[in-house]
């Protein structure tokens, strides 16, 4: 099955809803494209509009996702004595 992609959108241009844990972006039909953060972390990159047949490809790096900075342990900062 061929996927018809309406557009390619950078993750930085999308809005993150922390309650629903989804990224969304306005759709020309008046609704919005949506994709869950868990789907993005699983390698999915196509956001769909629940009201029409349009889809967008989300351009992102895993480090761009909300919460990515809390998932990678950082080296402890030196403490002054």
């Amino acid at each position: 099955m061929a996927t018809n992609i309406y557009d390619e959108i950078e993750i930085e241009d999308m809005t993150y809803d922390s309650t629903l844990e989804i990224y969304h972006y306005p759709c020309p039909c008046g609704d919005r494209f949506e994709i869950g953060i868990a789907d993005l972390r699983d390698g999915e990159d196509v956001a769909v509009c629940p009201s029409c047949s349009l889809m967008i490809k989300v351009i992102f790096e895993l480090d761009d996702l909300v919460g990515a900075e809390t998932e990678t342990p950082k080296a402890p900062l030196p403490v002054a004595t």
Side-chain angles (χ1 to χ4, degrees):
M1 179 177 129
T3 304
N4 291 325
I5 301 296
Y6 169 72
D7 202 354
E8 294 185 356
I9 303 296
E10 297 278 342
I11 193 85
E12 294 87 6
D13 296 329
M14 299 181 78
T15 303
Y16 182 67
D17 182 326
S18 60
T19 303
L20 299 175
E21 296 187 341
I22 62 167
Y23 281 92
H24 56 88
Y25 187 80
C27 180
C29 79
D31 203 349
R32 61 187 185 183
F33 298 101
E34 300 178 344
I35 188 166
I37 194 165
D39 295 328
L40 291 165
R41 287 186 178 132
D42 287 341
E44 294 291 325
D45 65 353
V46 176
V48 297
C49 175
S51 297
C52 71
S53 61
L54 293 179
M55 296 177 269
I56 57 171
K57 181 173 182 171
V58 181
I59 309 300
F60 72 101
E61 298 290 328
L62 287 176
D63 293 340
D64 296 336
L65 300 178
V66 169
E69 64 277 356
T70 60
E71 293 178 9
T72 18
K74 294 183 179 178
L77 297 173
V79 177
T81 56

